Amino acid sequence: MFEPELESMSRPELEQLQLERLQATLTRVSRNVPFYRKKFEELGIDPYDFQSLVDLRHLPLTTRDDLRDNAPYGLFAVPLREVVRLQTSSGFCEGSTVFGYTLGDIRRWSRLTARVLAAGGVGREDMVHVAHGYGLSTMAFGMHYGAETLGATVVPVSNGNARRQVGIILDYRATSLSCIPSYALYLADVMDEMGVNRNALPLRWGLFGGEVWSEQTRKTIQDRLNVLATDNYGVSEVMGPGVAGECLERQGMHINEDHFLAEIIDPATLSPLPHGTIGELVLTTLTKEALPMIRFRTGDLTRLVPEPCACGRTLVRMQRIQGRSDDMLIIQGVNVYPERIGAILAETHKAEPDHLIVVDRHGGLDRTMLLVEANMVAPDQIKAQQKFIDLTRQRLAMELGLVFEVKLVERSTIAELRPDLGKVVDHRKF
Ligand code: ZN
């Protein structure tokens, strides 16, 4: 562990620290950020009289729209002269949303990404090949500063030119790769084209984040790149990478709870959900100076795993991201995330076949059909087809509590049926 005294605190100690830091954050934003001062006044919240973490649920939520409405600097809690760095989101075009950092923010951020790297196996003697794009997005600089803070050697390769990247990994003998999981798969393809023997690769550790990926993809990457692959999680609006990272147990990402308070809410009702339930992750920053965030709605779906971890860290874990709250479907009152269905197919059949979810309503009842292009089952193998259908139905019923009609369709049927690249056709009228 990079900071064992902080990463393995007792729960009462941690909660006391969280409360003190939250109190300080609330008084600071109410003094320096008119947006929050106004919200607190409207809700009758006295930030100087905030006594318990249980009251967190009464604080206002912050959304990406709030950031956009106050862009570029409206939510900053310090004058610009104290800001030493600006970055922006790695996602879609976000208008002019800008994230600022004080020198203290950069130092804390570097220590948190150092924790993530250390949890993923990286040590002082390792060489970290950073293949995230350097620039305005937070991933590359976040991991870069973390690796330096840890005392490892950084190779700031950035993204692009995959053949050159493979050459550098082999020449410099990088032991760790930090990038998005799909880029790792792409590098593996390029290595195959170049005839690189995977046993000759110097890589040992793979630290992947920045997009939704499955357990199946982890296995593929581990196998093809000969690394131990861990998942890490960041949100640019609250900091960037370093919010949470997996340890070598690979059973969920430890959230750096001394710097971020995590809650799971129902994205429809906005009420907090109990531990263990899948919902939208909401984060409150506890130490950010330039751009503190109160109950920021990440839009990412996950669940918290409160059980102790074998690694000795006491920080709560979050499961890998299951999808986005904005694509969520409500079928027969059950929240269904299309990406979860893809993941279930991938886990059940060792590959994710192209599929389409079709929802309909008859006599007030929702009916759900899943069309699957199961190319791994030959069309003349009736028994194998039925087995595929039964297994899929069972798994969906078990995981989601919903009965699906599962239909196998021929190749490229789905491309013709769906209006865009989505996974869902919803015929219901609301
Ligand atoms: Zn652990």
Side-chain angles (χ1 to χ4, degrees):
M1 281 183 227
F2 180 66
E3 295 182 307
E5 68 292 352
L6 297 167
E7 295 174 68
S8 57
M9 264 189 199
S10 74
R11 199 40 50 182
E13 255 183 310
L14 176 65
E15 286 180 355
Q16 183 57 35
L17 180 67
Q18 287 178 320
L19 180 61
E20 285 165 16
R21 288 180 165 178
L22 180 60
Q23 286 165 332
T25 300
L26 292 177
T27 53
R28 210 168 56 245
V29 299
S30 77
R31 250 199 326 262
N32 301 337
V33 187
F35 168 83
Y36 283 121
R37 186 162 55 237
K38 190 160 159 271
K39 287 235 171 183
F40 292 168
E41 276 167 15
E42 281 167 9
L43 294 166
I45 291 161
D46 179 359
Y48 294 91
D49 187 33
F50 190 89
Q51 298 300 339
S52 164
L53 290 176
V54 178
D55 293 329
L56 185 65
R57 59 167 63 202
H58 302 304
L59 295 174
L61 291 157
T62 308
T63 63
R64 288 197 167 85
D65 283 342
D66 294 329
L67 273 153
R68 268 190 287 268
D69 293 346
N70 291 280
Y73 308 128
L75 296 185
F76 281 26
V78 298
L80 263 184
R81 67 172 178 276
E82 286 179 37
V83 171
V84 301
R85 170 115 55 95
L86 294 176
Q87 309 246 221
T88 186
S89 170
S90 53
F92 302 103
C93 175
E94 299 261 329
S96 49
T97 303
V98 169
F99 317 124
Y101 304 81
T102 64
L103 193 57
D105 286 335
I106 298 281
R107 288 195 178 128
R108 278 182 294 275
W109 184 14
S110 308
R111 297 190 76 77
L112 294 183
T113 43
R115 278 189 197 178
V116 167
L117 285 153
V122 181
R124 290 180 57 87
E125 66 290 346
D126 279 299
M127 184 184 290
V128 186
H129 180 104
V130 179
H132 290 290
Y134 279 72
L136 280 172
S137 95
T138 55
M139 289 301 295
F141 281 106
M143 299 309 279
H144 178 111
Y145 275 60
E148 284 186 355
T149 303
L150 188 61
T153 310
V154 189
V155 190
V157 187
S158 197
N159 51 5
N161 201 344
R163 281 181 169 257
R164 179 168 162 262
Q165 300 237 3
V166 173
I168 290 174
I169 290 171
L170 291 169
D171 272 6
Y172 297 1
R173 306 210 58 75
T175 57
S176 321
L177 172 66
S178 172
C179 61
I180 58 172
S182 54
Y183 197 68
L185 288 173
Y186 177 59
L187 283 180
D189 287 344
V190 172
M191 285 175 193
D192 285 352
E193 279 168 30
M194 293 168 71
V196 175
N197 174 359
R198 64 172 217 130
N199 292 317
L201 284 172
L203 294 173
R204 293 178 68 201
W205 316 111
L207 296 111
F208 305 111
E211 65 184 9
V212 176
W213 57 313
S214 65
E215 206 48 43
Q216 188 57 42
T217 303
R218 188 210 302 267
K219 289 196 185 100
T220 310
I221 293 176
Q222 293 196 144
D223 187 46
R224 296 188 64 194
L225 290 182
N226 225 355
V227 292
L228 204 147
T230 50
D231 192 8
N232 65 74
Y233 176 74
V235 190
S236 299
E237 286 81 355
V238 305
M239 190 176 74
V243 172
E246 265 183 339
C247 61
L248 298 179
E249 301 292 322
R250 287 163 289 166
Q251 297 287 329
M253 300 174 272
H254 289 283
I255 301 175
N256 285 316
E257 288 181 282
D258 47 339
H259 296 267
F260 304 99
L261 264 179
E263 300 168 85
I264 300 290
I265 65 164
D266 182 322
T269 66
L270 307 182
S271 304
L273 293 171
H275 273 18
T277 316
I278 290 193
E280 180 177 343
L281 178 68
V282 168
L283 293 169
T284 299
T285 63
L286 296 175
T287 51
K288 274 288 284 298
E289 290 171 342
L291 185 59
M293 283 282 126
I294 308 297
R295 303 190 77 208
F296 178 72
R297 289 188 63 182
T298 64
D300 290 322
L301 298 164
T302 182
R303 73 174 119 217
L304 299 183
V305 185
E307 287 80 31
C309 183
C311 74
R313 287 176 183 81
T314 51
L315 303 169
V316 76
R317 282 169 293 162
M318 59 185 264
Q319 223 181 23
R320 67 170 60 251
I321 300 298
Q322 306 283 312
R324 297 277 311 167
S325 60
D326 11 32
D327 324 319
M328 191 185 75
L329 286 164
I330 303 178
I331 303 170
Q332 294 168 30
V334 178
N335 295 352
V336 178
Y337 309 114
E339 296 187 52
R340 183 72 198 122
I341 292 179
I344 292 170
L345 281 171
E347 283 160 23
T348 313
H349 304 294
K350 308 280 177 266
E352 187 179 327
D354 201 3
H355 59 278
L356 187 71
I357 303 153
V358 183
V359 195
D360 226 325
R361 186 167 283 176
H362 284 271
L365 280 180
D366 295 336
R367 286 199 325 190
T368 323
M369 186 157 63
L370 181 67
L371 303 179
V372 189
E373 282 183 13
N375 304 325
M376 59 277 244
V377 188
D380 54 343
Q381 292 180 316
I382 307 289
K383 261 195 182 158
Q385 284 190 355
Q386 196 55 47
K387 201 173 147 207
F388 183 99
I389 289 171
D390 290 345
L391 190 61
T392 309
R393 278 172 56 98
Q394 275 169 18
R395 282 299 301 270
L396 290 169
M398 203 167 73
E399 299 266 344
L400 305 173
L402 278 178
V403 179
F404 280 72
E405 186 184 340
V406 178
K407 253 191 178 164
L408 295 185
V409 293
E410 291 193 8
R411 215 188 181 113
S412 75
T413 311
I414 286 172
E416 286 164 27
L417 280 177
R418 74 175 146 220
D420 47 45
L421 286 175
K423 295 270 185 225
V424 181
V425 177
D426 195 342
H427 292 300
R428 295 175 297 177
K429 301 272 180 285
F430 290 101

